[in-house]
Amino acid sequence: LEILRGPQSTLYGSSAIGGVILVETASAGVASGEDTRGVVHARAGSFDTFGATASARGSAGPIRSSASLGFEETNNFRPDNGFKVLSYSSRLEAQLTPQLLLGATLRGQDGAYDEIGSTVFPSKGRSENLNHLATLYSQWTPAAHFASRLTAGWHQNEYDWTDKTYGPASNFYSRNTREILDWQNTWDVT
């Protein structure tokens, strides 16, 4: 996780005027000579809250991989005000030569939230949100202080609102798809 304040458009594109929050999946694989690792977490709490996460990473020669799957669910403290989300993340990398890395990532989430509105103005409905991001990338590092990275990506977001107060006439659906091609060159002077 990296947080950069202020204009960072020279590194992250013209939309990064106010700053950037960069979130990366866990690095693929483990250090050379280590075994594959896996972790499972489960948690529970009040308001029928439950969560679980499973993740694994490993390597075989020049191939490294990591994957995780998580689920969260809660009913919240008001009736009919539940939330649940399923999320996934995976990365596969191949270090073909000391200078050339090829990789792919797949990330996403499928969430649903039951809205009941305020206590003064009830407005019942359900929002469902699907997010998927896939990338292919290559990184060439010809020298210790220079790296060139080419990334091709596909991102799709689907949002569906079902109104339970006023009926189907006020339902809303949208789907946005972006195709991304990014070439980033980094020169580390010091």
Side-chain angles (χ1 to χ4, degrees):
L1 179 66
E2 183 179 7
I3 300 173
L4 302 170
R5 293 185 176 91
Q8 301 293 327
S9 58
T10 57
L11 289 178
Y12 296 99
S14 60
S15 297
I17 297 170
V20 171
I21 298 176
L22 178 65
V23 180
E24 293 243 355
T25 57
S27 63
V30 293
S32 179
E34 293 185 22
D35 294 328
T36 299
R37 297 182 186 179
V39 177
V40 175
H41 292 279
R43 55 207 161 275
S46 56
F47 309 116
D48 295 327
T49 301
F50 172 75
T53 306
S55 62
R57 62 184 186 153
S59 62
I63 308 293
R64 300 184 304 247
S65 64
S66 67
S68 67
L69 181 65
F71 178 77
E72 290 285 334
E73 179 177 41
T74 185
N75 286 335
N76 291 316
F77 69 97
R78 295 172 66 193
D80 302 319
N81 189 213
F83 170 77
K84 65 181 174 180
V85 64
L86 175 71
S87 59
Y88 63 90
S89 171
S90 63
R91 181 185 295 247
L92 180 64
E93 289 181 341
Q95 188 76 50
L96 300 180
T97 70
Q99 294 82 24
L100 184 60
L101 172 73
L102 296 178
T105 64
L106 183 62
R107 305 173 195 146
Q109 64 180 196
D110 180 0
Y113 172 67
D114 292 315
E115 174 62 58
I116 57 175
S118 70
T119 55
V120 177
F121 183 73
S123 176
K124 293 185 178 184
R126 180 178 183 87
S127 70
E128 295 181 15
N129 195 6
L130 287 165
N131 259 306
H132 304 289
L133 172 65
T135 64
L136 295 172
Y137 58 91
S138 64
Q139 181 165 314
W140 178 55
T141 311
H145 298 292
F146 180 78
S148 182
R149 185 178 183 107
L150 182 64
T151 304
W154 174 86
H155 175 243
Q156 187 171 76
N157 174 270
E158 290 184 72
Y159 178 81
D160 189 11
W161 169 259
T162 304
D163 194 299
K164 296 181 179 179
T165 302
Y166 301 106
S170 60
N171 289 353
F172 175 78
Y173 173 79
S174 72
R175 179 172 65 188
N176 297 306
T177 303
R178 294 185 322 143
E179 294 167 351
I180 304 141
L181 184 61
D182 181 56
W183 183 28
Q184 181 177 357
N185 294 285
T186 305
W187 178 38
D188 189 5
V189 179
T190 59

